[in-house]
Amino acid sequence: MAVCVAVIAKENYPLYIRSVPTENELKFHYMVHTSLDVVDEKISAMGKALVDQRELYLGLLYPTEDYKVYGYVTNSKVKFVMVVDSSNTALRDNEIRSMFRKLHNSYTDVMCNPFYNPGDRIQSRAFDSMVTSMMIQEPRFQ
Amino acid sequence: MEAAAGAGCGSGPPLLLSEGEQQCYSELFARCTGAASGGPGSGPPEAARAAPGAATAAAGPVADLFRASQLPSETLHQITELCGAKRIGYFGPTQFYIALKLIAAAQSGLPVRIESIKCELPLPRFMMSKTDSDIRFGNSAELHGTKAPIPYLLSEKNTFKRMDDEDKQQETQSPTMSPLASPPSSPPHYQRVPLSHGYSKLRSSTEQMHPAPYEARQSLVQPEGPSSGNQGPKPPRHQASLIRSFSVEREPQDNSNYPDEPWRITEEQREYYVNQFRSLQPDPSSFISGSVAKNFFTKSKLSIPELSYIWELSDADCDGALTLPEFCAAFHLIVARKNGYPLPEGLPPTLQPEYLQAAFPKPKRECALFDSYSESMPANQQPHDLNRMEKLSIKDGADFPVSTQDLTGDDKQALKSTMDEAVPKDTSEDPATPKDSNSLKARPRSRSYSSTSIEEAMKKGEDPPTPPPRPQKTHSRASSLDLNKVFQPSVPATKSGLLPPPPALPPRPCPSQSEQASEAELHPQLNRAPSQAAESSPTKKDTPYSQPPSKPIRRKLRPENQATENQEPSTTVGGSVSVATIKPHSTVQKQSSKQKKAIQTAIRKNKEANAVLARLNSELQQQLKEVHQERIALENQLEQLRPVTVL
């Protein structure tokens, strides 16, 4: 259902970014990048209170005419950003939440691997397969 | 070439090689030498021909090549003997060519004799594989290619075994053909080349035997047959070689017939993995932490992404720690990867933790059961594999999810289910195991499951033991006397410091009693003194040691005097009192005697104390003298050492 999924490290560089293969993947990368500002804004707004009280799921970061961008932050300031197609109206908020939860779980599994150094790009096949399952299958009408 | 061949052959007949043969042989020879030196495949034939005399073919590739000819090993030995390599100890070009010729002869059905090579022979056929695809020989061209990905993978494990068998045989019989059991430090790529020779040869050999390539799996049964007989002597050898080093050139062998062969763990492998696990973590039911495992697996020199992937596959519960079955799976995958198997996409069913726990008994404290089981296993494995697979698959379904804590119970059940059909002798051990496993169950459970148990133990060991209790402060030299007690201004001040504080004062003798006492003064006094001393702390008056005897007496006298004084005015009442006084009289007497006794003991003790103190005094005086002397000596030394400032 997602068009693009990205995992951003605390220092705001991408650990993992994958889009549905289209001709214009750069657009998605750019959207993710700009969404980081919004994420930071949301974090800092809530950050006055204790970190524990901050909810991990950030919700809709910003909508564009074609896409909507959702965000999620972990307690270690690792951000998950998901771009979904606006035309996909059937997608409910709790579905997005569940997708983020799955992402978070897979991410922790990746972290549990002792051969993974935090800060490396995520090359886990399990993670890939999980993301694939979440990604929209773009129908090719050609 | 021929002349040289003839000369080198010694007594052998001159070798006549046709043009095609020459080319073929020289290529082969170049390959063998090229492979030996680690070069990629063969050098150009021209170069080989240019320097045939200088090169010698290494035994390894030559051995593989000969084996690829699919001649029985006796024939090969005969050939090596005939061609003179045995005599000389290496394969020179002439020997090599003769050998090839003999191979061709043998393949054509001619007896292996020198005479055979005189006639015109076809080229010897060697089954090569796609890895050697750059050079194709004889008829082998058609045997490649399409076959393979599936049978290649599946038969690889087998090829190991086959090749290993032959290696072993070769090894025992021909020292010149140094086999792959050469020291584990041999460079991996060198290993790989003959290994790949081996793979391909066997694969293609099996394919040759069974034309339908996809029946290659079943065809592996036949090669299994003869080789399974070798299982017995192999395991100990394997184990020794495996345990010798981490490197896995000696590939442990499978003897199962199933498609998951590369991923099936054999007994020896299992034991080896368990030993390695124990070396990292003494408790087999506990975990190995991620960092410990990482260090260990990094030694295998696989790349980090691969290790990461292997971890991902094997750590089924993704907890960052490896239990024993997970560890075995990971180890097995590493072993497989090191031997060239590509890693699977998913964890094979035979490496699943549940399967591993169920299929193999967990190593218990006493491995007796395990040993007996493993003995029975190889003997019965083949026919029973099918049954066991079915049973275990059912078991897996039933036991899923199996927690690590239920391991021993499931193992027992799995054992029972397999043993019912398997060797009956093992069932006798089953009654033993419930008791053992029950007792053992308690033990592993009570043990902590954290993998930091090692660190904790280490920490505890590192805490310094509490120091022995300090010796009490005593005078170092005069240890015979406890001066603390002596100098304490305390309770027993009475007689000496040696007595415990005496009990409370007896009531003062009443005047009536003392009146009687005055009559028999001396004796009762003496009697009473000790008793008084024993009883009381009459005390403060007795402190001066110099006059102990007199004091009690004096004190006694006083009350007596007082008593007498008291009594005088009361003599008038005497008559009436006389009766009353008779009884106290005796008690008064007793009391005075007690007092005397008390006094006497006090005297004695004071004397003792005196003596002790005197002794102490003399000792201290001596010490003082010695110290004085030392001081004088030191001062003299100082004087001597001081720089002379005489002007």
Side-chain angles (χ1 to χ4, degrees):
Chain A
M1 280 69 79
V3 171
C4 170
V5 171
V7 178
I8 317 286
K10 181 172 150 194
E11 294 84 8
N12 289 332
Y13 63 87
L15 295 176
Y16 181 88
I17 181 162
R18 187 149 139 224
S19 339
V20 163
T22 60
E23 61 287 347
N24 204 0
E25 289 190 29
L26 198 60
K27 181 177 68 179
F28 295 128
H29 290 213
Y30 182 68
M31 285 173 77
V32 167
H33 188 263
T34 53
S35 66
L36 289 178
D37 272 336
V38 185
V39 169
D40 276 338
E41 200 186 303
K42 292 218 178 205
I43 296 177
S44 62
M46 287 192 266
K48 306 297 182 210
L50 292 172
V51 178
D52 292 340
Q53 295 176 4
R54 177 165 57 78
E55 201 191 278
L56 304 182
Y57 176 67
L58 300 175
L60 182 67
L61 297 178
Y62 69 91
T64 64
E65 68 179 57
D66 290 329
Y67 300 103
K68 294 192 209 149
V69 183
Y70 291 89
Y72 182 98
V73 186
T74 67
N75 283 326
S76 54
K77 299 280 172 56
V78 172
K79 302 149 187 107
F80 299 125
V81 176
M82 194 188 311
V83 182
V84 297
D85 203 324
S86 281
S87 54
N88 202 340
T89 51
L91 216 52
R92 299 266 179 261
D93 195 53
N94 50 1
E95 285 175 21
I96 306 279
R97 281 178 193 261
S98 70
M99 282 159 75
F100 273 125
R101 212 172 305 124
K102 274 202 298 183
L103 262 177
H104 197 172
N105 287 334
S106 298
Y107 178 71
T108 50
D109 288 344
V110 167
M111 292 300 267
C112 281
N113 189 332
F115 297 103
Y116 172 75
N117 299 316
D120 290 352
R121 297 192 65 89
I122 296 177
Q123 282 153 342
S124 154
R125 290 193 216 184
F127 192 82
D128 278 343
S129 59
M130 189 273 311
V131 169
T132 313
S133 72
M134 277 170 39
M135 300 270 265
I136 194 167
Q137 297 299 325
E138 192 172 299
R140 309 244 166 199
F141 295 113
Q142 292 154 3
Chain B
M1 178 78 80
E2 289 78 2
C9 204
S11 58
L15 195 60
L16 297 167
L17 294 176
S18 67
E19 191 57 40
E21 281 180 327
Q22 230 177 26
Q23 197 181 14
C24 172
Y25 291 177
S26 54
E27 279 179 13
L28 281 172
F29 186 66
R31 258 172 90 248
C32 287
T33 48
S37 60
S42 69
E46 295 74 25
R49 254 191 248 132
T56 60
V62 170
D64 297 322
L65 191 62
F66 286 6
R67 251 176 277 117
S69 65
Q70 287 142 36
L71 293 174
S73 45
E74 309 88 55
T75 316
L76 292 171
H77 292 310
Q78 266 185 315
I79 290 171
T80 35
E81 275 182 48
L82 278 174
C83 74
K86 262 209 155 171
R87 201 166 14 101
I88 302 177
Y90 59 86
F91 270 97
T94 52
Q95 288 76 39
F96 191 72
Y97 297 156
I98 295 170
L100 289 175
K101 199 92 175 157
L102 285 168
I103 288 173
Q107 282 174 343
S108 316
L110 297 173
V112 179
R113 301 239 175 75
I114 299 295
E115 295 76 31
S116 331
I117 61 178
K118 287 185 187 164
C119 45
E120 192 68 33
L121 290 168
L123 285 176
R125 288 187 304 279
F126 297 100
M127 303 308 147
M128 299 298 172
S129 81
K130 59 182 180 146
T131 58
D132 305 323
S133 55
D134 49 347
I135 295 172
R136 310 227 168 161
F137 295 96
N139 314 330
S140 59
E142 75 237 13
L143 286 177
H144 294 288
T146 56
K147 295 338 178 196
I150 302 168
Y152 174 71
L153 276 178
L154 297 178
S155 59
E156 265 183 351
K157 223 25 173 160
N158 257 350
T159 65
F160 276 126
K161 194 178 14 141
R162 204 28 174 339
M163 186 188 59
D164 289 344
D165 294 344
E166 289 161 349
D167 269 349
K168 291 242 171 69
Q169 290 168 5
Q170 295 277 2
E171 192 183 339
T172 52
Q173 295 171 21
S174 73
T176 58
M177 306 171 75
S178 70
L180 295 172
S182 57
S185 54
S186 59
H189 73 275
Y190 172 67
Q191 285 282 335
R192 287 293 208 93
V193 168
L195 277 180
S196 60
H197 265 60
Y199 299 151
S200 50
K201 278 160 203 163
L202 185 58
R203 180 177 65 87
S204 41
S205 74
T206 60
E207 285 161 358
Q208 217 193 12
M209 280 158 32
H210 302 271
Y214 291 100
E215 291 170 8
R217 295 179 206 175
Q218 275 66 36
S219 74
L220 297 173
V221 179
Q222 269 87 16
E224 296 297 344
S227 54
S228 65
N230 288 333
Q231 280 303 310
K234 271 201 205 53
R237 228 190 128 130
H238 265 306
Q239 207 160 7
S241 58
L242 282 175
I243 291 171
R244 209 185 306 135
S245 69
F246 189 93
S247 65
V248 288
E249 286 84 359
R250 290 320 270 158
E251 173 66 25
Q253 299 175 1
D254 277 342
N255 50 2
S256 147
N257 303 331
Y258 290 91
D260 293 321
E261 284 173 26
W263 311 120
R264 188 173 284 268
I265 300 182
T266 64
E267 289 305 317
E268 313 93 62
Q269 288 173 315
R270 173 85 184 185
E271 272 181 52
Y272 179 62
Y273 301 157
V274 168
N275 287 337
Q276 292 293 316
F277 184 92
R278 283 221 192 98
S279 73
L280 295 176
Q281 164 62 281
D283 180 3
S285 65
S286 173
F287 310 133
I288 292 183
S289 75
S291 46
V292 170
K294 176 180 176 175
N295 292 335
F296 183 71
F297 288 140
T298 314
K299 287 190 228 161
S300 71
K301 309 265 190 328
L302 287 180
S303 65
I304 297 291
E306 286 186 355
L307 286 171
S308 173
Y309 182 56
I310 286 173
W311 178 281
E312 219 182 283
L313 287 176
S314 56
D315 190 5
D317 47 6
C318 291
D319 56 356
L322 294 180
T323 61
L324 181 59
E326 289 175 342
F327 178 83
C328 292
F331 210 130
H332 197 71
L333 286 167
I334 288 178
V335 163
R337 185 77 190 102
K338 282 215 74 110
N339 283 282
Y341 288 100
L343 290 174
E345 287 302 313
L347 194 62
T350 53
L351 288 182
Q352 302 275 351
E354 303 87 15
Y355 176 82
L356 285 176
Q357 286 170 11
F360 292 89
K362 229 163 90 74
K364 307 200 162 100
R365 302 276 169 239
E366 56 272 4
C367 294
L369 179 64
F370 185 62
D371 292 337
S372 71
Y373 187 63
S374 63
E375 283 161 15
S376 64
M377 278 274 286
N380 298 313
Q381 197 160 3
Q382 281 180 355
H384 292 299
D385 261 355
L386 255 176
N387 296 334
R388 197 186 305 137
M389 265 299 277
E390 289 167 3
K391 277 218 167 190
L392 282 171
S393 58
I394 298 166
K395 265 247 85 67
D396 284 348
D399 291 336
F400 193 95
V402 172
S403 70
T404 53
Q405 295 170 5
D406 293 332
L407 263 177
T408 50
D410 288 336
D411 286 345
K412 231 187 331 144
Q413 290 175 12
L415 275 176
K416 282 181 183 164
S417 69
T418 56
M419 288 197 176
D420 288 340
E421 43 159 352
V423 183
K425 73 173 178 182
D426 285 333
T427 56
S428 63
E429 309 219 5
D430 278 342
T433 53
K435 281 180 255 166
D436 294 334
S437 58
N438 282 338
S439 62
L440 287 169
K441 249 191 214 177
R443 243 187 286 162
R445 281 201 197 162
S446 61
R447 219 168 276 269
S448 72
Y449 278 89
S450 86
S451 59
T452 57
S453 57
I454 304 173
E455 299 160 16
E456 281 165 14
M458 275 171 49
K459 274 182 203 159
K460 281 176 197 163
E462 282 168 10
D463 282 347
T466 57
R470 279 181 185 277
Q472 301 295 333
K473 265 198 170 178
T474 54
H475 199 283
S476 58
R477 297 192 194 179
S479 53
S480 57
L481 178 66
D482 188 357
L483 288 176
N484 295 332
K485 282 194 190 162
V486 171
F487 292 134
Q488 270 172 16
S490 71
V491 182
T494 61
K495 336 298 174 165
S496 63
L498 303 174
L499 276 182
L505 270 171
R508 277 192 170 229
C510 52
S512 57
Q513 294 169 357
S514 60
E515 180 195 356
Q516 306 300 326
S518 63
E519 297 170 28
E521 213 176 65
L522 292 170
H523 291 287
Q525 274 180 6
L526 288 174
N527 291 340
R528 270 180 224 139
S531 63
Q532 211 178 37
E535 290 166 0
S536 71
S537 59
T539 68
K540 317 310 186 230
K541 301 175 185 173
D542 294 337
T543 43
Y545 296 132
S546 56
Q547 300 171 353
S550 55
K551 279 264 171 85
I553 294 172
R554 209 182 295 140
R555 193 170 57 78
K556 216 44 222 136
L557 282 172
R558 248 184 270 118
E560 284 164 3
N561 292 335
Q562 288 170 3
T564 51
E565 286 163 12
N566 293 339
Q567 281 298 326
E568 277 160 8
S570 65
T571 45
T572 54
V573 198
S576 60
V577 188
S578 62
V579 178
T581 57
I582 293 172
K583 285 174 195 173
H585 173 67
S586 57
T587 56
V588 167
Q589 272 184 342
K590 280 178 203 168
Q591 280 193 350
S592 60
S593 65
K594 279 183 205 169
Q595 284 169 0
K596 277 188 194 167
K597 280 179 199 164
I599 290 166
Q600 279 171 355
T601 50
I603 293 168
R604 217 180 304 127
K605 292 204 173 88
N606 286 330
K607 280 187 187 164
E608 281 167 21
N610 250 357
V612 165
L613 285 171
R615 210 183 321 130
L616 180 61
N617 191 17
S618 60
E619 281 179 23
L620 288 172
Q621 290 290 335
Q622 266 210 323
Q623 284 174 21
L624 183 60
K625 272 187 224 165
E626 284 166 19
V627 167
H628 270 303
Q629 283 169 0
E630 282 175 25
R631 186 186 160 195
I632 292 166
L634 283 170
E635 279 181 359
N636 284 336
Q637 280 182 13
L638 189 60
E639 281 297 324
Q640 288 166 11
L641 288 172
R642 198 174 286 170
V644 179
T645 54
V646 175
L647 292 172

